[in-house]
Amino acid sequence: MAAKKAEQGLVNQWRDILAVHARTLCELDRELHRHGLGASDFEVLDVLADGTPSGGGGAFRVQEISERVHLSQSALSRLIGRLEKDGLVTRGMCEEDRRGVRVCLTPKGRELHGEVLPVQRAVLTRMLAGEPASPCE
């Protein structure tokens, strides 16, 4: 009986984590939409703005980005394509491996990231501090 109760506690904890994630993602999407971005768009911009790619130069291999964001390779490629179309990132061939692609922020992308960063951080603070979430629309 105790094992069953412990197992149910883990299941409940897992469901609570999923619920917090879903509410937070919904709130991020709602707030970032005002800036023409979704939560996944921002995550890619944030990785590009904040991280240090291997090989330096300020450009990340797509594989490096995929290790930091929770998207499939094909979804990430489509997202990068949209960001490139919007002038927020550029893609180029990887010098050390011609099969690879490197992605970097454009000045427009860096500016938008800086503008939206406080919005994203405020949502994370509000949502993860346990305050009530506004409903998703």
Side-chain angles (χ1 to χ4, degrees):
M1 186 66 166
K4 183 85 169 159
K5 196 171 193 174
E7 182 180 284
Q8 188 58 50
L10 288 174
V11 169
N12 290 342
Q13 184 180 3
W14 173 242
R15 289 180 180 154
D16 289 345
I17 290 168
L18 291 175
V20 168
H21 177 266
R23 285 191 307 267
T24 303
L25 193 59
C26 182
E27 186 70 9
L28 283 168
D29 276 333
R30 190 175 68 75
E31 291 289 330
L32 296 174
H33 180 74
R34 299 171 186 173
H35 300 274
L37 296 172
S40 295
D41 302 330
F42 180 82
E43 284 302 315
V44 170
L45 295 180
D46 202 39
V47 166
L48 294 171
D50 211 28
T52 305
S54 67
F60 281 82
R61 290 183 65 143
V62 173
Q63 181 62 34
E64 291 177 290
I65 298 168
S66 72
E67 292 168 359
R68 292 174 170 89
V69 297
H70 300 285
L71 295 172
S72 69
Q73 189 74 28
S74 61
L76 178 58
S77 292
R78 288 190 303 273
L79 188 150
I80 290 170
R82 286 193 313 272
L83 294 176
E84 184 178 42
K85 182 180 171 216
D86 292 343
L88 302 174
V89 303
T90 58
R91 286 188 279 195
M93 296 305 295
C94 181
E95 292 298 321
E96 62 273 11
D97 178 1
R98 289 290 181 186
R99 296 170 295 167
V101 174
R102 287 205 174 265
V103 181
C104 65
L105 279 177
T106 63
K108 179 181 177 182
R110 191 165 298 284
E111 182 179 333
L112 181 59
H113 175 265
E115 176 184 317
V116 176
L117 180 65
V119 174
Q120 189 258 8
R121 298 303 198 255
V123 169
L124 292 182
T125 299
R126 184 172 70 249
M127 298 303 293
L128 300 178
E131 295 179 21
S134 57
C136 288
E137 298 172 13

